[in-house]
Amino acid sequence: YQVGSFGNLDTVNELGEFVNKTVPDGQKGSITATTKGNVINLSRQAIINDDLGAFIGLSASLGRAAARTVEAAVYALLAQNSGLGPTVGSAPLFDATHGNVGAAGALSVTTVDGARVLMASQTDVSGNDYLDLRPAVILVPMASGGTARVLNDAQYDPDTANKLQMPNKVRGLFRDVIDTPRLSGTRFYTFADPMEAPVLEVAFLDGQEDPYLELQNGFEVDGARYKVRLDFGVAALDWRGATTHAGA
């Protein structure tokens, strides 16, 4: 739940009555959990002939598969609507009506500063006050990772011809620079601190974040069976803590 806010207090004249104010409406988000899992069968002969010990780390491999499944689900959600994210309300997560889509252009000091301005201009649920959020994370395709780190760390503006005269106005803006092969093209995203303004959230059933692993030894057939299960859901909760630029 995101609670709305009251507007500014009203002036009370001498001997005047206090004006009644209505309780602000809120905004609700929801996440539905689904079950992901598999069963793996190992015959007794396969275990005996496992000279290289390939099956020794099977439980760890299943755990990594569960974590990768969560990561893939988050990026699949972000990829909806051609990279503008899932529908939130009546529009995609990133939409002009949400005020979080920046002007097209290559990853640069100008576009990054534009993302900062967009995010800081977002208002609360009731539209009474500016949230004044700041980008803390930038998410880019792998090919743009080096450029993003240069923009975040350079003392002087790397986009200018004379780099020794103009300070870099977005230096140190991001706490984390994340580049990933799961994104393609040139579109990039910025996110506020998720503790201040969560945008994409992963929820686990009963808070159980670790996958459930079970080993069953065969009786009628020699061998063993591994079962792995993870109950989780991914959803976009709010658009105010994120921006996107289509890139060049």
Side-chain angles (χ1 to χ4, degrees):
Y1 286 95
Q2 291 178 307
V3 181
S5 65
F6 294 99
N8 295 336
L9 299 181
D10 294 306
T11 300
V12 180
N13 298 323
E14 184 178 1
L15 302 179
E17 295 184 356
F18 285 84
V19 177
N20 288 319
K21 240 185 188 5
T22 57
V23 176
D25 292 331
Q27 182 176 302
K28 178 184 179 181
S30 62
I31 303 177
T32 301
T34 58
T35 300
K36 304 284 188 179
N38 287 106
V39 171
I40 297 176
N41 296 297
L42 294 177
S43 67
R44 179 170 177 267
Q45 285 76 14
I47 297 174
I48 292 174
N49 294 326
D50 184 22
D51 296 334
L52 299 179
F55 299 141
I56 293 177
L58 190 59
S59 59
S61 297
L62 291 174
R64 286 194 295 271
R68 188 169 57 251
T69 301
V70 174
E71 181 182 16
V74 172
Y75 281 103
L77 191 72
L78 194 61
Q80 292 181 18
N81 291 309
S82 301
L84 297 178
T87 299
V88 180
S90 59
L93 175 65
F94 298 99
D95 190 79
T97 60
H98 293 158
N100 59 359
V101 178
L107 180 61
S108 65
V109 169
T110 300
T111 52
V112 167
D113 194 50
R116 177 189 65 84
V117 174
L118 280 177
M119 190 175 293
S121 301
Q122 292 284 358
T123 57
D124 63 18
V125 175
S126 299
N128 290 320
D129 200 5
Y130 292 107
L131 294 176
D132 201 19
L133 298 169
R134 294 292 187 274
V137 178
I138 184 170
L139 175 65
V140 300
M142 184 61 68
S144 302
T147 300
R149 290 181 174 85
V150 168
L151 290 172
N152 197 51
D153 297 337
Q155 182 176 357
Y156 298 102
D157 189 340
D159 296 333
T160 60
N162 191 343
K163 301 178 179 62
L164 299 179
Q165 293 185 356
M166 180 176 289
N168 179 10
K169 58 186 176 182
V170 297
R171 182 186 185 191
L173 180 63
F174 301 108
R175 181 189 64 203
D176 295 307
V177 176
I178 301 174
D179 49 1
T180 172
R182 295 191 183 274
L183 293 180
S184 59
T186 57
R187 179 176 295 279
F188 67 93
Y189 306 86
T190 69
F191 295 89
D193 188 325
M195 298 301 293
E196 296 182 14
V199 176
L200 300 174
E201 184 165 310
V202 179
F204 297 90
L205 183 63
D206 295 329
Q208 182 60 47
E209 299 184 16
D210 296 324
Y212 170 81
L213 292 174
E214 183 177 357
L215 172 64
Q216 182 184 70
N217 292 315
F219 181 77
E220 294 181 353
V221 177
D222 281 342
R225 305 176 72 196
Y226 278 96
K227 180 168 74 175
V228 58
R229 181 181 70 234
L230 185 62
D231 300 298
F232 72 94
V234 182
L237 300 182
D238 189 27
W239 64 83
R240 296 172 178 85
T243 72
T244 188
H245 285 72

